[in-house]
Amino acid sequence: MDWESPLSWDSDAAVETIARLARHGKADVPVYAIGADRRVTTRPFEVAGSPLFVAEGIFAAEIVEECRRRGLLAGAYALRRPRGATFLRRLARDLAEQRKAPRVLLTRGVALLRAEPAVLRRQTGLGAEAARAREVLHRVAALVAGHPTRH
């Protein structure tokens, strides 16, 4: 399974899950075992009265247009971070979680490091706005401040 390919992901199920979260404040979400290359179960997730929730991931931009069309989208951002820092964070996480053999993780990490500018261009082309993490946090905080709490 190529976890970096949008074909590894069920975008229709993701949009439906987001719709359930927006309507009911709860939904079952998938749990993946990256080392096993598959989804292993689901778990319940609740937004616990929050007026907004954040969905994140490498494929989030794939559903921006559909979420916007359904009125589910408050904002869509693609994080712009220093590539070296992203490489080190990803490698440390993947090694700690023993996702794959270290040599595979290093090779994959270097390939992702090189591909990162193209990934950011693709995400912005799909409707996400490129922004630094601090800027996204400020925007989300402003959105939360402007919405009443869900009951």
Side-chain angles (χ1 to χ4, degrees):
M1 175 73 58
D2 179 4
W3 290 103
E4 303 307 319
S5 168
L7 299 175
S8 69
W9 190 57
D10 187 343
S11 61
D12 292 336
V15 172
E16 288 307 317
T17 299
I18 288 169
R20 277 193 298 282
L21 284 169
R23 271 194 309 272
H24 307 293
K26 59 185 174 180
D28 287 336
V29 297
V31 176
Y32 294 94
I34 303 298
D37 283 336
R38 64 187 175 91
R39 184 171 104 171
V40 293
T41 190
T42 60
R43 69 174 179 82
F45 178 76
E46 285 191 47
V47 294
S50 176
L52 300 170
F53 60 91
V54 175
E56 64 85 26
I58 188 70
F59 305 130
E62 301 288 329
I63 61 173
V64 165
E65 185 178 320
E66 181 62 16
C67 286
R68 186 173 282 132
R69 188 185 72 73
R70 291 187 183 202
L72 300 170
L73 189 67
Y77 306 100
L79 289 183
R80 187 179 332 139
R81 290 190 157 152
R83 289 171 44 201
T86 300
F87 168 79
L88 292 173
R89 270 193 218 98
R90 181 185 295 123
L91 183 61
R93 177 202 66 201
D94 292 351
L95 287 169
E97 294 178 6
Q98 299 177 341
R99 290 184 169 197
K100 301 279 183 186
R103 183 178 179 101
V104 171
L105 294 175
L106 188 57
T107 302
R108 176 182 166 271
V110 169
L112 292 173
L113 174 74
R114 290 182 179 142
E116 194 165 320
V119 170
L120 186 60
R121 281 191 305 275
R122 184 168 195 285
Q123 290 174 333
T124 57
L126 289 168
E129 180 184 343
R132 300 231 177 256
R134 185 179 310 271
E135 183 180 350
V136 172
L137 289 173
H138 288 297
R139 289 183 185 189
V140 170
L143 285 168
V144 170
H147 282 77
T149 304
R150 174 195 301 260
H151 296 290

